Amino acid sequence: RIENFSKYATIVVFCCSATGVLLPPYVIYKSDFVYDLWCQNGSNGEPCCTEDCCKDGSSYNRTKSGWIDRITFTDLFKKVFLPHAKRLKGRKVLAGDNLATHFTPEVIRLCEENDISFCFFVPNSTHISQPLDQSFFRAFKAA
């Protein structure tokens, strides 16, 4: 449902576990500011994880370019992935593309401290190897 035409670039980042648990989306606007109006009625609870780690629902940020950068990736990692991963026992694996924005000292440190391995896809292969592209988004685009 389109409610506002004032934003001309928006990225929505999705994280999903191997068991099919969907974490709350992380929305990045192309803007100098994030307005309160843009952060209303985001996903909270079903179909996303309903555990306490995800109780705050969708997270929002902005970049001047509209693309994810080191600051927004670190924020996404800390707000969306890490709280969920911390409640899981044992070694965790985060799979993603090998974008330079993922290689921040803070994210690497947090991975080491929380028993998380960051597994990267082969460069230029995410359209064929990224699990959400192959499962969820392929069906979504076809529909």
Side-chain angles (χ1 to χ4, degrees), residues 4-40:
N4 185 330
F5 291 99
S6 66
K7 302 172 296 298
Y8 58 93
T10 305
I11 292 175
V12 182
V13 180
F14 292 93
C15 293
C16 182
S17 75
T19 60
V21 174
L22 185 64
L23 303 185
Y26 187 88
V27 181
I28 303 169
Y29 294 112
K30 180 178 181 176
S31 176
D32 290 328
F33 308 98
V34 175
Y35 298 97
D36 290 341
L37 182 63
W38 297 356
C39 304
Q40 294 177 357

Side-chain angles (χ1 to χ4, degrees), residues 76-133:
L76 178 155
F77 183 86
K78 289 166 55 176
K79 284 183 179 173
V80 177
F81 179 76
L82 193 56
H84 187 79
K86 280 184 172 185
R87 65 184 256 313
L88 302 174
K89 294 183 189 308
R91 189 101 178 132
K92 282 76 64 181
V93 176
L94 176 60
D97 60 26
N98 57 4
L99 196 60
T101 58
H102 299 155
F103 295 106
T104 67
E106 185 174 12
V107 169
I108 293 168
R109 178 184 55 78
L110 288 168
C111 283
E112 289 172 353
E113 290 174 0
N114 291 282
D115 205 14
I116 300 167
S117 293
F118 207 133
C119 174
F120 297 100
F121 297 117
V122 175
N124 304 313
S125 72
T126 56
H127 65 290
I128 56 173
S129 60
Q130 203 167 59
L132 284 177
D133 281 355

